[in-house]
Amino acid sequence: MANAEIETPASGSCALLIIDMITDLDFPGGVEMLPVVARAANAIDRLRTKCREVGVPIVYVNDNFGQWHSERSRLVDLSQGTPGEEIVDRLKPHDDDFFVIKPQFSGFYATNLAVLLPKLGARRLIVTGISADICILFTAADAHMREYDLWVPSDCVASQDEQRTRWALDIMANSMKAETSSTAELDVGQWMESAR
């Protein structure tokens, strides 16, 4: 992570979180999730490109899958030859992206995310990834308690069950005041402007 020093504050006080997308999908139900995860990955990839263009920092927040000696390159390598390989190849981090390894569901639990985001100057988070009904929901709840504004684009999250994805999005919208419009309905520029 040689070039991932914090040189300029987050554009629009925003940061993009990509949660658990560096995955082998090698868990019960993982292969069945592949079509919805692939759709979310395509949308996340487009959103990530737009965030780069406007200076929004990208922060990967990823489960360690029990690999306690792991770091990002090892997690990327572990996906090779697995059901998640194409997803990881599409979304693997760039050298100047930030990477936070989490041991549990929330991106804030026992990680340095709570320290990193203020250093980036981020007060508004775009939360994407898997699974909507567990890790996205728990991360969003912790972010809400820390008074971050949230956008959880509905096309950039997935879980094993579409109904549970909708349920999680409803909770985030109604209980956490999260914006849940898809990236087709709202773009990064509009999200940044809405803070003013």
Side-chain angles (χ1 to χ4, degrees):
M1 208 152 82
N3 298 324
E5 298 305 319
I6 300 168
E7 295 172 2
T8 56
S11 182
S13 300
C14 293
L16 170 64
L17 303 187
I18 300 176
I19 298 175
D20 288 343
M21 293 300 285
I22 307 304
T23 178
D24 56 16
L25 290 176
D26 189 17
F27 51 81
V31 173
E32 292 77 13
M33 279 180 76
L34 189 54
V36 293
V37 175
R39 279 197 303 273
N42 290 339
I44 293 168
D45 191 26
R46 291 189 298 270
L47 177 60
R48 179 179 69 160
T49 298
K50 291 178 182 175
C51 285
R52 276 189 210 295
E53 290 170 357
V54 296
V56 170
I58 296 157
V59 182
Y60 287 77
V61 182
N62 221 89
D63 197 288
N64 68 4
F65 303 110
Q67 301 289 320
W68 291 99
H69 293 287
S70 232
E71 42 82 36
R72 76 176 177 176
S73 64
R74 186 166 177 191
L75 290 175
V76 168
D77 291 346
L78 286 172
S79 72
Q80 300 306 297
T82 71
E85 180 177 8
E86 257 185 61
I87 305 290
V88 174
D89 285 347
R90 173 180 286 273
L91 288 179
K92 64 185 165 190
H94 293 197
D95 287 343
D96 59 350
D97 293 333
F98 298 90
F99 201 92
V100 173
I101 292 181
K102 66 183 178 69
Q104 282 290 332
F105 308 122
S106 172
F108 287 91
Y109 177 76
T111 75
N112 65 359
L113 188 62
V115 176
L116 174 62
L117 293 173
K119 290 201 174 290
L120 291 171
R123 295 188 317 274
R124 314 186 84 224
L125 303 179
I126 307 167
V127 184
T128 67
I130 58 174
S131 286
D133 58 332
I134 303 172
C135 298
I136 302 298
L137 182 62
F138 280 55
T139 301
D142 277 353
H144 176 66
M145 286 190 293
R146 289 166 172 80
E147 300 184 342
Y148 285 95
D149 291 335
L150 298 171
W151 176 26
V152 184
S154 58
D155 57 332
C156 292
V157 296
S159 63
Q160 290 184 349
D161 181 295
E162 288 290 334
Q163 185 174 352
R164 289 179 67 84
T165 299
R166 287 192 300 274
W167 167 80
L169 287 166
D170 284 347
I171 288 174
M172 290 182 275
N174 294 319
S175 299
M176 303 171 201
K177 301 177 185 171
E179 174 61 65
T180 59
S181 297
S182 72
T183 58
E185 301 167 307
L186 180 68
D187 68 29
V188 176
Q190 292 168 316
W191 169 248
M192 291 164 68
E193 283 293 320
S194 71
R196 296 180 185 178

